[in-house]
Amino acid sequence: MRGIKRAALAAGVCLAAFGMVAAPGVQAQQVTIERAMKDAPYWNAALPTEQRVEDLLARMTLDEKVAQIITIWDSKGQIQSEGDVFDPAKAAAKFPDGIGQIARPSDRAGPSSPRVVPRRNIEDSIQYVIDAQRWAMTQTRLGIPVLFHEESLHGLAAKDATAFPQAIGLASTWDPSLIRDINALIADETHARGVHSVLSPVVDVARDPRWGRIEETFGEDPFLVGEMGVASVEGLMGAGTQRKLAPGKVMATLKHMTGHGQPESGTNVGPAQISERTLREMFFPPFEQVVKRTKIDAVMASYNEIDGVPSHANRWLLDKVLRGEWGYRGAVVSDYYAIEDMARLHHIAPDNARAGEIALLAGVDVDLPEGAGFKDLAKSVREGRVPEAAIDNAVRRLLTTKFNAGLFDNPWPDLAKAKTSNGPEGVALARLAAEKSLVLLKNNGALPLALPAGGSKKPTIAVIGPNADVARLGGYYGEPRASVTPLQGIRAAVGGRATIVHSMGVEIVKGDSDWWDDPVELGDRDENLRRIAEAVEVAKTADTIILFIGDTEKTSREGWAAGHLGDRTSLDLVGEQNELFTALKALGKPVVAVLVNGRPPSYPTIAAEADAVLETWYAGEQQGTAIADALLGNINPGGKLPVTVARNAGQLPMFYNHKPSARRGYLFDTTTPLYPFGWGLSYTAFALGAPQLSAGSIKAGSGVTVTVPVTNTGKRAGDEVVQVYLRDEVSSVTRPVKELVGFQRVTLQPGETRNVAIPIEPRAFMLWNTDMKQVIEPGVFTIMAGANSEELQSVTLTVTE
């Protein structure tokens, strides 16, 4: 075989037609590629993707095919030399048939905390990608490039990347346009590093706040989750359904299909005791909307089982519903180690090899993150347990993803662009996202804080609490260049207009609250009681107390193993935080509770006794600035809850779109939530008029437009979210008491009135009948509109045949 050598060309150049592939780097480099490949059709970018895939697939050996559908993460050390640099010789020895995917190139050594094993900086990460890609494209037989993936739930989970609010905070914006912009910036920062795939968004409908992963979701409502999911994918991949990526975009991964958000006992990976009807009504719709309306080319199966069948073994779920009913054409990827879980956890396979066979035949195409389930598939084919055609289908889908992502044409990073990550544009967008995510839950007039313009006595503000002087980012976090803590933000915003005093009050958990750490130990009670006494002494000098309480990244998180738990039986504040609040409240001063958390704030004492309550979630790198601006009235909170907040665990499950026979009542307690779905106040006041319909009667299969007049009756500009709900009055099967079918966030100046028109699509009127067919039944529907799911005005609509 003959080869040619040439100097590396500028980034973005491709000489595939001549058997050459440009390999840019920090310095000029020389690469060699087999001359025999120069005329292979799969290198010809002018050909249709399908033709290129089939040409390449026909040239591959069975071992090369299997190599494409496995990933490496844990074994990174085996292909790296001193300094954690990629080693081509080790890679060739360990993976002679190539590498399909490499997980998280920003990580140095597989699963480990970046606080223990620091992530690669931008330059080192890019060089790692270049070195691995050069090896794959010039030293493996067919030159198939590697697909790199990273996490990007609320920002690229890498060093020097912009950190946005956690997903539940982004959902609280009720602003799909903003979510689209955020994910577009995430795609830009990710693509510049030579990474073409991300493991987001999460469109699990979350119905149990005990579940630690609720922070990763867009909440409890399938319509809201679906709209946010569509916006996320459009931001990452671009608008439309044409599967090829535009420049600067990355492949999204839709996860986790499905039922993951209501696990038995609220514990992660627990069985989803959910009927087919509930799956179709509540859990499937967000996935279906993303599949049908976007370019999505990767769907991740969920850890849980449904009716005794784990999702990774569920042919009905992955083949009949996803690919059959919805027409999905892309790849199905496993969740991390989930194929092995079918042997280790679910016990439906005797070993990993059999688990891999089951998963492949059920419709799983790619094994993440290490390939332990799929590594023996070549043997399975040779011994007749798996047809090679099943391998071909999986490889075909993965190769299609690689071609659509442009990996065969220009896979290279852009160092100059990557070094601008988390620059002014990202910081500004992170600040805007944080501002829009804030939800004002209660206010008796304590907010906004009144500060003198000058000349009068300066007030003293006590900033107290374990979450005051830390910028909590939540799970799957990245490392922004700088973060602003609430205390820092308040000091900067106040300037010399007030005296700021501070005390921790309590320590929630001992030591560092790193999401990656396995053990979780609550703070020492005796020491916390001492801290409370100290905080009370500090607060005695203050005119107003701002108390930052809630959770840490450890006290509610993904419980990914028996030794790494994250779910809880209780919903209230942990440790001595309620005692801290009670002690401060006893001083008789206004207490503003600022909640920093990743799960719904079921804090009944705080809700009843605080003078104001501001929910901030994990608000990203600019949280301190946004929170300070909200407290001082520089911005007006306008977010809304994407979940119903239960009063206690005894009310669970608690969601607004329940069936008519639910919530009859309890002895000695109430069925009402602490805060309803869609709740959120403002520093101004809004008057919403009765909804008006574009037609009082429509034919089945038609939509209708609901118009709601909204007036800002207060003295400040502010945002209101107009929410439209629907109820089917008489139906052949039971239907929810109300369902969200449309919404729009609007900004109004004082005294301004706007007629907000919200289109309701025909799908809103559909149901699954007794034959499990999706139909529209003629009849009367009640259309409701308001500022939350409880304070609604209604009008009736007739749907005819």
Side-chain angles (χ1 to χ4, degrees):
M1 291 182 292
R2 294 178 297 167
I4 58 172
K5 291 187 177 181
R6 44 82 172 126
L9 304 176
V13 176
C14 179
L15 299 179
F18 302 100
M20 303 179 184
V21 179
V26 177
Q27 297 177 344
Q29 303 162 47
Q30 291 207 334
V31 299
T32 301
I33 192 167
E34 295 181 8
R35 180 77 170 174
M37 292 295 109
K38 73 172 184 176
D39 296 321
Y42 69 85
W43 285 114
N44 186 350
L47 294 178
T49 296
E50 292 79 3
Q51 185 175 340
R52 299 176 76 184
V53 168
E54 294 305 321
D55 177 73
L56 177 54
L57 186 61
R59 300 169 186 271
M60 297 173 71
T61 67
L62 176 59
D63 292 314
E64 287 171 335
K65 292 173 183 177
V66 172
Q68 282 302 302
I69 56 176
I70 64 175
T71 311
I72 64 168
W73 189 36
D74 305 57
S75 59
K76 274 184 181 177
Q78 299 177 38
I79 59 171
Q80 297 174 173
S81 296
E82 184 178 354
D84 301 318
V85 299
F86 183 86
D87 189 318
K90 289 185 177 181
K94 178 70 176 176
F95 300 103
D97 299 301
I99 297 174
Q101 288 197 54
I102 295 179
R104 309 184 190 187
S106 61
D107 291 347
R108 291 183 178 275
S112 58
S113 169
R115 300 182 191 179
V116 177
V117 181
R119 289 180 169 119
R120 292 183 173 91
N121 61 29
I122 290 175
E123 291 85 349
D124 289 347
S125 179
I126 282 182
Q127 192 61 59
Y128 188 88
V129 167
I130 289 171
D131 291 343
Q133 206 68 281
R134 182 192 300 109
W135 166 78
M137 299 183 76
T138 65
Q139 296 184 40
T140 63
R141 189 178 74 89
L142 295 171
I144 302 174
V146 176
L147 179 64
F148 294 93
H149 73 246
E150 292 277 10
E151 298 283 358
S152 73
L153 181 64
H154 52 118
L156 174 61
K159 196 171 182 62
D160 296 337
T162 306
F164 295 98
Q166 181 57 286
I168 197 168
L170 294 177
S172 297
T173 68
W174 290 60
D175 189 343
S177 179
L178 175 63
I179 303 308
R180 192 176 294 108
D181 290 345
I182 287 168
N183 280 276
L185 189 137
I186 292 171
D188 207 44
E189 293 190 348
T190 304
H191 186 272
R193 302 184 191 211
V195 175
H196 292 77
S197 174
V198 295
L199 304 185
S200 65
V202 171
V203 294
D204 295 310
V205 169
R207 285 182 146 197
D208 196 323
R210 296 173 297 178
W211 183 51
R213 298 195 78 173
I214 193 170
E215 70 176 59
E216 301 174 34
T217 76
F218 292 131
E220 73 182 43
D221 180 78
F223 183 83
L224 177 63
V225 173
E227 293 306 298
M228 294 302 194
V230 167
S232 298
V233 174
E234 288 178 341
L236 292 168
M237 300 185 70
T241 58
Q242 207 279 337
R243 293 164 70 193
K244 280 200 172 186
L245 287 182
K249 298 297 183 181
V250 297
M251 290 289 182
T253 304
L254 192 65
K255 58 187 196 179
H256 315 81
M257 193 169 171
T258 191
H260 197 34
Q262 193 175 2
E264 182 177 299
S265 305
T267 55
N268 194 43
V269 314
Q273 307 289 11
I274 303 170
S275 69
E276 180 182 348
R277 182 174 305 284
T278 302
L279 285 171
R280 290 187 178 279
E281 291 177 346
M282 298 296 168
F283 291 88
F284 282 177
F287 290 91
E288 182 180 7
Q289 289 302 306
V290 173
V291 166
K292 289 185 174 180
R293 293 165 56 187
T294 76
K295 301 173 182 284
I296 194 69
D297 216 29
V299 172
M300 180 180 285
S302 57
Y303 285 116
N304 57 278
E305 64 172 78
I306 299 172
D307 195 24
V309 183
S311 295
H312 288 72
N314 198 325
R315 297 189 189 197
W316 172 77
L317 181 70
L318 302 180
D319 188 41
K320 183 179 184 300
V321 175
L322 176 62
R323 292 193 169 109
E325 296 180 19
W326 303 346
Y328 176 65
R329 297 171 57 202
V332 172
V333 304
S334 81
D335 207 337
Y336 274 29
Y337 312 107
I339 295 177
E340 300 97 291
D341 274 353
M342 291 198 291
R344 176 178 55 221
L345 180 64
H346 295 293
H347 302 288
I348 67 166
D351 51 37
N352 289 343
R354 180 57 187 148
E357 295 169 1
I358 292 171
L360 181 78
L361 295 175
V364 178
D365 301 306
V366 178
D367 188 0
L368 303 181
E370 184 58 27
F374 274 10
K375 67 181 179 64
D376 295 316
L377 282 177
K379 180 180 179 182
S380 299
V381 171
R382 293 183 178 113
E383 295 180 355
R385 292 188 301 277
V386 171
E388 188 167 357
I391 303 287
D392 288 349
N393 283 337
V395 176
R396 183 177 288 111
R397 292 173 184 135
L398 189 277
L399 291 178
T400 298
T401 295
K402 289 189 173 186
F403 278 110
N404 284 338
L407 289 179
F408 285 82
D409 307 316
N410 180 16
W412 307 110
D414 185 334
L415 178 60
K417 186 174 184 180
K419 290 172 74 172
T420 68
S421 292
N422 200 202
E425 180 185 0
V427 171
L429 190 57
R431 180 173 177 176
L432 176 63
E435 292 171 355
K436 286 201 165 190
S437 71
L438 304 180
V439 184
L440 185 62
L441 298 177
K442 178 183 179 180
N443 189 20
N444 66 5
L447 292 179
L449 300 176
L451 297 182
S456 57
K457 179 180 179 295
K458 292 194 300 184
T460 297
I461 301 172
V463 180
I464 308 292
N467 288 338
D469 198 23
V470 58
R472 300 205 183 282
L473 299 179
Y476 290 101
Y477 62 87
E479 298 177 73
R481 297 180 189 273
S483 295
V484 183
T485 73
L487 180 61
Q488 290 171 336
I490 291 170
R491 282 177 169 156
V494 166
R497 294 179 292 162
T499 299
I500 304 298
V501 294
H502 166 63
S503 179
M504 177 188 286
V506 298
E507 181 182 56
I508 300 176
V509 297
K510 289 185 177 179
D512 189 11
S513 283
D514 186 3
W515 178 78
W516 285 87
D517 284 351
D518 291 334
V520 182
E521 186 178 359
L522 291 176
D524 181 85
R525 176 169 176 77
D526 290 339
E527 186 63 22
N528 275 343
L529 293 178
R530 184 195 64 76
R531 291 189 179 102
I532 290 173
E534 181 181 273
V536 168
E537 288 303 311
V538 170
K540 285 180 179 178
T541 66
D543 299 287
T544 300
I545 301 168
I546 306 176
L547 177 61
F548 287 84
I549 49 179
D551 273 312
T552 80
E553 291 90 343
K554 272 187 168 182
T555 57
S556 181
R557 63 182 180 180
E558 178 182 0
W560 63 60
H564 185 97
L565 299 176
D567 313 303
R568 299 213 311 263
T569 58
S570 66
L571 306 182
D572 205 347
L573 293 161
V574 297
E576 290 72 38
Q577 293 183 88
N578 274 318
E579 292 170 78
L580 172 62
F581 170 79
T582 300
L584 295 172
K585 185 65 179 175
L587 294 175
K589 303 172 186 291
V591 179
V592 174
V594 180
L595 312 181
V596 179
N597 46 18
R599 64 188 210 159
S602 297
Y603 312 150
T605 300
I606 306 301
E609 299 179 18
D611 295 280
V613 181
L614 182 67
E615 174 61 77
T616 73
W617 309 108
Y618 298 131
E621 65 176 63
Q622 293 300 308
Q623 60 187 271
T625 302
I627 291 169
D629 281 342
L631 294 173
L632 296 174
N634 298 329
I635 63 167
N636 190 350
K640 302 281 186 173
L641 290 175
V643 290
T644 302
V645 180
R647 295 177 182 275
N648 53 64
Q651 289 185 319
L652 301 180
M654 169 69 79
F655 38 82
Y656 85 93
N657 47 356
H658 59 81
K659 293 297 184 70
S661 58
R663 317 288 193 267
R664 170 171 285 176
Y666 296 108
L667 286 172
F668 321 122
D669 209 339
T670 178
T671 60
T672 62
L674 192 62
Y675 303 106
F677 175 82
W679 179 261
L681 303 175
S682 173
Y683 294 154
T684 191
F686 296 96
L688 279 68
Q692 302 165 9
L693 303 181
S694 58
S697 178
I698 61 173
K699 288 187 176 183
S702 300
V704 67
T705 297
V706 180
T707 301
V708 181
V710 185
T711 302
N712 182 344
T713 60
K715 298 180 179 180
R716 290 174 177 263
D719 287 8
E720 181 60 284
V721 179
V722 181
Q723 303 166 36
V724 178
Y725 298 83
L726 172 151
R727 179 174 63 247
D728 191 345
E729 291 299 337
V730 179
S731 51
S732 62
V733 295
T734 61
R735 301 293 298 139
V737 296
K738 67 190 74 162
E739 300 174 89
L740 183 71
V741 293
F743 63 88
Q744 187 175 335
R745 181 167 178 160
V746 295
T747 302
L748 297 178
Q749 298 300 314
E752 181 183 359
T753 297
R754 187 177 307 172
N755 290 318
V756 180
I758 299 175
I760 308 304
E761 299 178 17
R763 63 184 167 105
F765 302 99
M766 291 181 171
L767 59 75
W768 292 89
N769 66 14
T770 54
D771 296 323
M772 208 55 76
K773 304 293 184 183
Q774 195 173 29
V775 299
I776 297 176
E777 295 181 345
V780 176
F781 291 78
T782 298
I783 308 296
M784 298 160 278
N788 58 72
S789 62
E790 289 194 351
E791 299 172 337
L792 300 167
Q793 299 181 67
S794 63
V795 64
T796 58
L797 171 72
T798 300
V799 176
T800 63
E801 292 184 1

